[in-house]
Amino acid sequence: MTTQKFEHEIETLKIFLQTYCASKHTNQFPIKQNIPYKNFYFSTTLNLCSECLGIFEYSLDKLQNCPHEEKPRCRKCPTPCYEKSQWKQLAKIMRFSGVKLGLLKLKNKLFS
């Protein structure tokens, strides 16, 4: 996977998790992380609760160790690496955040 694709995946995961966490949980705190990938480090700041931070770190570990040169969508992956319960939890988060972000985008379009 290219470093640009890896960075895009991190940003997508961050946006979806922060959207979910802000809507469902309390006690978020800012976390600055330096994430290694190949010969690069990506710096990002997250605003998550401890539960969502754990999900981010689990997903990040799987992303860093993805064996595919071109990362497929996890749903269509021939060699899934997520544990079933973790995959279901992240799918729930992505579904919730995708709808919420889509509605916000539509609202901004209608009222701008």
Side-chain angles (χ1 to χ4, degrees), residues 68 74 77-82:
H68 303 286
C74 291
C77 184
T79 55
C81 58
Y82 275 76

Side-chain angles (χ1 to χ4, degrees), residues 79-91:
T79 55
C81 58
Y82 275 76
E83 293 175 27
K84 190 80 162 174
S85 63
Q86 295 288 78
W87 188 86
K88 283 183 177 182
Q89 187 175 22
L90 193 59

Side-chain angles (χ1 to χ4, degrees), residues 3 5 7-8 10 22-23 26 36 38 48 68 73 93-94 102 104:
T3 53
K5 175 71 172 162
E7 186 174 26
H8 177 72
I10 290 171
S23 296
T26 57
K38 296 186 179 176
L48 299 172
H68 303 286
R73 294 195 175 265
I93 291 168
M94 295 295 210
L104 286 173

Side-chain angles (χ1 to χ4, degrees), residues 101-112:
L101 291 167
L103 290 174
L104 286 173
K105 190 174 183 180
L106 179 62
K107 179 183 169 189
N108 290 338
K109 222 180 213 184
L110 291 173
F111 297 107
S112 57

Side-chain angles (χ1 to χ4, degrees), residues 3-85:
T3 53
Q4 291 84 9
K5 175 71 172 162
F6 182 78
E7 186 174 26
H8 177 72
E9 292 286 331
I10 290 171
E11 285 303 311
T12 302
L13 185 59
K14 173 183 163 181
I15 290 167
F16 276 69
L17 274 168
Q18 287 185 149
T19 301
Y20 179 82
C21 190
S23 296
K24 299 285 188 173
H25 302 139
T26 57
N27 300 327
Q28 290 88 1
F29 51 93
I31 306 124
K32 186 165 176 71
Q33 287 200 334
N34 290 315
I35 303 164
Y37 184 69
K38 296 186 179 176
N39 296 327
F40 296 94
Y41 278 88
F42 299 95
S43 182
T44 191
T45 302
L46 304 153
N47 196 27
L48 299 172
C49 69
S50 57
E51 179 185 339
C52 290
L53 178 60
I55 295 167
F56 178 81
E57 289 174 345
Y58 178 85
S59 299
L60 181 61
D61 179 57
K62 298 303 179 184
L63 185 60
Q64 287 170 315
N65 295 308
C66 182
H68 303 286
E69 188 58 38
E70 279 215 25
K71 184 189 172 311
R73 294 195 175 265
C74 291
R75 179 181 297 200
K76 297 184 184 259
C77 184
T79 55
C81 58
Y82 275 76
E83 293 175 27
K84 190 80 162 174
S85 63

